[in-house]
Amino acid sequence: MTLEEKHLPYEGRFIDVENKPTWFLEMYPEGKVPTMFIDQDWIGDADVITDMLETKISIPTMRPPPEKATIGLKVFPLFVKFLRSKDSGDGSEQAFLAELQALNEHLKIEDAAHKNPFVSGRFPSMLDMNLTPKLYHMDVALKHFKNWSLPQDLVYLEAYMKKMFTRPSFTKTKSPEDVVIRGWQRHLSSIGQ
């Protein structure tokens, strides 16, 4: 998404993580995805890649203001905990919902006070690049594995997700839903779910 938002040329290839091609493993033995070859080195962490791109090419800037830099960062780990949970009384869904409600409230305040369409302001930031794919995985996986959908009262979060899921930078780079489901199925199987 960051490459698309910054209008940088790149050659992208989807890798079947269950059957990584030999050419990929020969070039990058760690085999992590997403990965990027930049400055004669392989980087296998989306957050590091985004930060590196922002450092090298800061126009347009995508750094969020420091006071907003952690908004939404707990959503993904809490989603994973809820997805993996077998006990409806363990509090994982409630903790996850509380974090989604906090994100919804932030988006509501941004909209009411400033008419800001993104997590940290008027323009997309690294937060949006980080959060959007994770919200997509959340949406797809929870519908499939738990028959769960976003509560209707989270209207600002729902609007944000719709806007980001149709943004060209996301539609050009997202994984198909069946790939997301297969990936989470593999993950859940590996922990005995």
Side-chain angles (χ1 to χ4, degrees):
M1 283 184 74
T2 303
L3 292 165
E4 288 288 337
E5 291 288 341
K6 287 183 175 285
H7 306 289
L8 297 172
Y10 67 96
E11 179 184 342
R13 294 184 190 174
F14 282 102
I15 301 293
D16 180 352
V17 295
E18 296 174 32
N19 187 24
K20 294 176 184 166
T22 304
W23 64 263
F24 176 65
L25 293 172
E26 286 173 357
M27 291 190 323
Y28 184 55
E30 287 185 47
K32 293 180 184 176
V33 291
T35 189
M36 183 174 186
F37 187 72
I38 187 169
D39 289 343
Q40 305 304 309
D41 197 14
W42 287 98
I43 309 297
D45 181 294
D47 294 333
V48 174
I49 291 168
T50 301
D51 189 57
M52 181 179 274
L53 289 170
E54 181 61 23
T55 299
K56 291 184 167 299
I57 301 137
S58 60
I59 298 174
T61 186
M62 297 184 84
R63 286 214 191 277
E67 67 274 10
K68 296 181 180 180
T70 60
I71 295 168
L73 293 184
K74 293 180 185 175
V75 168
F76 193 71
L78 290 171
F79 144 67
V80 173
K81 186 174 183 179
F82 172 49
L83 180 65
R84 295 168 72 174
S85 172
K86 296 178 184 179
D87 178 3
S88 61
D90 68 0
S92 62
E93 182 176 11
Q94 293 75 15
F96 174 59
L97 278 171
E99 190 63 24
L100 291 179
Q101 288 166 341
L103 180 56
N104 185 73
E105 188 61 26
H106 169 78
L107 292 166
K108 178 181 177 181
I109 291 167
E110 285 292 308
D111 183 68
H114 311 290
K115 297 293 180 204
N116 287 338
F118 300 103
V119 172
S120 65
R122 291 181 33 224
F123 303 101
S125 74
M126 292 165 58
L127 286 175
D128 300 291
M129 302 305 104
N130 180 301
L131 193 56
T132 301
K134 292 174 180 176
L135 289 171
Y136 174 68
H137 275 249
M138 172 201 83
D139 189 51
V140 171
L142 289 178
K143 279 180 188 169
H144 181 80
F145 295 104
K146 291 204 177 245
N147 196 29
W148 187 95
S149 57
L150 195 67
Q152 291 181 350
D153 63 327
L154 300 179
V155 294
Y156 291 91
L157 179 54
E158 180 182 21
Y160 173 79
M161 289 168 59
K162 283 182 181 176
K163 174 181 56 211
M164 294 307 293
F165 292 174
T166 58
R167 194 164 177 84
S169 61
F170 182 70
T171 60
K172 289 179 184 177
T173 59
K174 73 176 183 174
S175 296
E177 286 189 17
D178 64 314
V179 171
V180 172
I181 291 167
R182 275 199 330 261
W184 285 107
Q185 181 65 57
R186 192 182 75 254
H187 174 76
L188 293 172
S189 297
S190 73
I191 60 167
Q193 185 95 345

